Amino acid sequence: MMILFFVLGAALGSFACCQAWRIHDKDKSKWSHCEKCKYKLKWYDNIPIVSWLTLGGKCRKCRKPIGWAELLSEVGLGIMFALSFWLWPIKGGLVIENFAEVCKFCLFLINLVILLILFVYDAKWKELPVNLMIVSAAIAVVFLGINVYMSYGLGRPFDWISLAGALVILPGFYYLMYRVSNETWVGGGDWILCVPLTLMLGNFWLAIFTLFAANIIGSAVSVPLLVKKKGIKAAIPFGPFLILGFLMVFFLQAQILSLVII
Ligand SMILES: [Zn+2]
């Protein structure tokens, strides 16, 4: 099953990376093509991971490099899908008692695909498409709704204060930084991206950990870059770090919560 989910993730990773280009170029063409020579890809050029590796990362026709984003997207989403299946708390397979969990699992996978499009887009063009973030937030609202429903179903009232705190600490904090710095510290898209991430975490502590994780990863990547370029002006997109931080915290949430709730 994990291999199956890896393959599905890799195929959707290929799709997501391609969608980032399409949204950016406002491209409505049906067929994937080479960015350099416009060569239309055949079906055998579109096999996730395998095609990239057999072509050595180059276009079949013009031999210009395709770029690493495609391969990394396919492998990355493949791993995320397999990991999600492995870690998801569905007991005894896809049975009806776990219907709510199955729904949550599917919504999470859809949002993983959207987050990958946002990741690639922000890394390439230092911008986040707002419409896509709204779709992601809408999915996250349903995800949260199921969490609330399950919580009451199990006889535990949902912790709305914790959720409110999470919204203040992540989207709220980034919105403040964006307004105070006039978009020089963080971009205008970052706080909107924080909305779906926070709704899926739904917890104050998890939001704090995501904030720290994103900033630690961000510093580890951007400080060497800034030193090399010797300037603070080199704009570094923050969206990818937020997404990576979120994924780490989401998958480790049980461990994190057992640390902070004594
Ligand atoms: Zn080409």
Side-chain angles (χ1 to χ4, degrees):
M1 278 304 271
M2 276 179 73
I3 294 169
L4 216 75
F5 272 94
F6 179 84
V7 173
L8 177 68
L12 288 168
S14 169
F15 163 81
C17 195
C18 178
Q19 287 311 305
W21 280 100
R22 276 164 197 253
I23 295 167
H24 184 258
D25 297 346
K26 296 185 175 66
D27 176 8
K28 300 220 164 53
S29 63
K30 255 172 131 178
W31 294 101
S32 303
H33 58 77
C34 167
E35 282 298 317
K36 275 120 195 169
C37 69
K38 308 289 165 210
Y39 159 71
K40 274 186 188 168
L41 271 63
K42 304 281 185 315
W43 67 267
Y44 48 79
D45 298 319
N46 264 327
I47 306 163
I49 304 170
V50 178
S51 293
W52 199 98
L53 291 177
T54 51
L55 289 166
K58 295 187 178 98
C59 166
R60 189 182 294 281
K61 201 170 160 222
C62 70
R63 307 301 297 163
K64 296 250 169 67
I66 300 166
W68 284 92
E70 280 70 14
L71 181 69
L72 292 178
S73 299
E74 291 161 7
V75 175
L77 201 65
I79 293 172
M80 284 302 134
F81 267 48
L83 203 61
S84 304
F85 176 77
W86 185 45
L87 292 174
W88 211 268
I90 300 173
K91 283 144 204 98
L94 307 182
V95 287
I96 201 73
E97 292 97 280
N98 289 315
F99 183 64
E101 280 296 349
V102 175
C103 290
K104 266 176 64 187
F105 180 60
C106 294
L107 292 169
F108 182 73
L109 294 187
I110 297 169
N111 249 348
L112 277 185
V113 178
I114 297 177
L115 289 178
L116 179 58
I117 303 175
L118 293 169
F119 187 111
V120 172
Y121 202 102
D122 201 18
K124 275 192 191 292
W125 299 292
K126 296 171 182 160
E127 225 177 67
L128 286 159
V130 176
N131 289 347
L132 209 53
M133 290 191 286
I134 293 171
V135 175
S136 176
I139 294 168
V141 166
V142 182
F143 185 94
L144 174 73
I146 300 173
N147 264 345
V148 173
Y149 170 80
M150 285 170 74
S151 185
Y152 284 103
L154 290 167
R156 291 193 299 246
F158 185 79
D159 194 346
W160 291 103
I161 295 167
S162 180
L163 174 66
L167 286 167
V168 170
I169 210 77
L170 262 186
F173 178 68
Y174 275 93
Y175 180 71
L176 198 73
M177 288 223 295
Y178 154 68
R179 291 309 294 251
V180 168
S181 75
N182 220 348
E183 216 172 336
T184 50
W185 299 341
V186 297
D190 292 326
W191 76 270
I192 309 174
L193 174 64
C194 286
V195 174
L197 303 185
T198 309
L199 293 177
M200 282 193 289
L201 294 169
N203 177 285
F204 174 72
W205 291 108
L206 297 180
I208 293 224
F209 271 80
T210 302
L211 184 70
F212 275 100
N215 281 283
I216 289 166
I217 302 166
S219 309
V221 174
S222 51
V223 169
L225 279 178
L226 291 177
V227 171
K228 222 194 268 173
K229 286 190 178 165
K230 293 191 175 104
I232 303 295
K233 272 283 167 199
I236 292 158
F238 205 72
F241 305 134
L242 281 170
I243 294 170
L244 287 177
F246 161 77
L247 291 173
M248 276 174 60
V249 171
F250 191 89
F251 286 126
L252 291 171
Q253 57 179 289
Q255 287 79 357
I256 292 171
L257 289 176
S258 70
L259 273 179
V260 293
I261 299 164
I262 304 153

